[in-house]
Structures are given as structure tokens and as C-alpha cells.
Amino acid sequence: DYSDIDLHIIIDFEEVDENLELVRDFMNAKKSLWNLRHDIRIYGHEVEVYAQDTDEALHASDAGIFSIQQDRWINPPRRAASYEDIDIKSVKRKVENIQKRIDKIVSAKRLDIEKLDALKEKIKTMRQAGLERDGEFAVENLAFKVLRRTGYIQKIFDEKNKAFDKSLSLSEINFSL
């Protein structure tokens, strides 16, 4: 019920510019803006757009890969996931642990941006390792998806943005004449 459809647009980043970090950052920013502004659905499932470098591995094991451009399955779906395939207890434990860590960091008197960044990086690394090891149904990937669906991933970005905005803001000063 909570599945989405990932639309990967495959681009050779080197053809865009030799500065691959710049191209990757630009593509990530465009992806985020696109996904925020558009609500595309296929049979009720949200479509999430990604720009992906031709050198980047794709971790869509059992779900399959369909080429829209070629109108054919590159890797047909092997089977549908069932609850027996998923270690729900481990997903729940991992989610609760990360939620507590996020809540602890953002509820502190003074937001520690470095801790928030480190946790964000840990979540990203955790998800990637799970995808590489066990594919889409890895505990780590499913935990990430739960964190995203429950708003905890957004909470990290929102708190960082608030702290950044506050750091650039000036307090009102009352001058007496």
C-alpha cells in the first residue's frame, strides 16, 4: 500500500559537465524540486523522479526495471514481496532507534547541526549498504522508507533549515533616542 514508483532518468553526468559533484548536486536539487512541485501517480502510487548517472548501480532487484524509452522490461519483476520476506521487528527497532535519536537532537536547547548532519549521513549510508547487500527489501531500506513516510527525514531537513535561517537573522534592537 505504501509503495511508490521510482522513475530513474539515466544521464551521463560527464556529458553535462566535467565537474561531477556539481552535476550530481544540481540533479539532486532538480529532483527534489520536481518531486515537491508535482504529484504524478500511476494507479494511485506516487511516482518519484530521480536523475541517475550512467555509472551508478541500480538496486531494483525483485521489483524489476522497465524502460519507458524502449517500452520493454529490462529486468522483469521476479515476484511480489510478501510479509514473510520482511523482518518487520528489525525494521521497527531500527526506525524507533533513529526516531529517538532525531527527537533527542532536535529537542536539545541548542541544535547541534554536526550531530544532525552525522545522523543524516548515517541514515544514507545505512540505506545504501542495505540496498547493496539485500536489495529493496533490506531492513535498512525499509526503515528509511518508514522514516520518510512518517516525516522524520523531512524533520531533519526542516530543523537544519530553521537553524540556518536563524543563524543568518538579526535580532530586533530597540534604540532609544
Side-chain angles (χ1 to χ4, degrees):
D1 290 344
Y2 297 108
S3 290
D4 62 359
I5 296 172
D6 296 335
L7 176 61
H8 292 249
I9 300 169
I10 311 297
I11 300 170
D12 186 349
F13 286 5
E14 286 183 341
E15 286 187 18
V16 176
D17 192 88
E18 63 187 33
N19 185 341
L20 296 182
E21 185 178 350
L22 174 72
V23 175
R24 187 167 282 106
D25 288 347
F26 175 78
M27 293 297 179
N28 282 334
K30 291 299 280 184
K31 168 203 75 155
S32 295
L33 282 172
W34 172 268
N35 290 329
L36 277 172
R37 290 180 178 165
H38 301 281
D39 185 23
I40 310 299
R41 297 191 175 266
I42 296 177
Y43 300 116
H45 294 280
E46 179 183 358
V47 176
E48 198 164 342
V49 176
Y50 294 89
Q52 179 179 324
D53 191 7
T54 52
D55 294 337
E56 214 173 306
L58 189 61
H59 303 286
S61 56
D62 292 334
I65 301 171
F66 185 84
S67 172
I68 294 172
Q69 189 174 29
Q70 298 172 17
D71 192 28
R72 69 178 184 86
W73 285 101
I74 304 299
N75 291 333
R78 286 183 256 163
R79 63 181 172 79
S82 68
Y83 282 108
E84 293 83 41
D85 296 329
I86 300 169
D87 184 352
I88 294 173
K89 287 182 182 177
S90 293
V91 172
K92 187 175 180 181
R93 259 194 319 271
K94 195 166 283 291
V95 166
E96 288 172 350
N97 174 276
I98 294 171
Q99 285 175 329
K100 285 178 186 173
R101 292 175 68 181
I102 293 169
D103 287 338
K104 184 177 179 182
I105 293 170
V106 301
S107 67
K109 286 185 180 183
R110 187 167 185 269
L111 184 65
D112 188 333
I113 298 290
E114 288 179 10
K115 281 185 182 177
L116 207 54
D117 282 339
L119 184 55
K120 186 176 87 170
E121 192 58 36
K122 180 181 175 63
I123 294 167
K124 180 180 174 184
T125 302
M126 169 198 78
R127 181 186 192 199
Q128 190 64 35
L131 283 167
E132 289 172 6
R133 188 186 64 251
D134 296 324
E136 289 182 274
F137 304 114
V139 167
E140 297 84 357
N141 186 47
L142 296 174
F144 170 82
K145 288 178 177 276
V146 171
L147 290 166
R148 183 177 61 193
R149 191 180 77 239
T150 57
Y152 271 82
I153 298 297
Q154 190 60 47
K155 189 175 193 176
I156 292 171
F157 288 100
D158 291 347
E159 292 299 321
K160 273 193 69 173
N161 287 340
K162 278 196 264 184
F164 178 78
D165 292 352
K166 187 176 179 180
S167 74
L168 294 179
S169 298
L170 298 174
S171 301
E172 185 176 317
I173 300 173
N174 292 327
F175 289 101
S176 52
L177 296 176

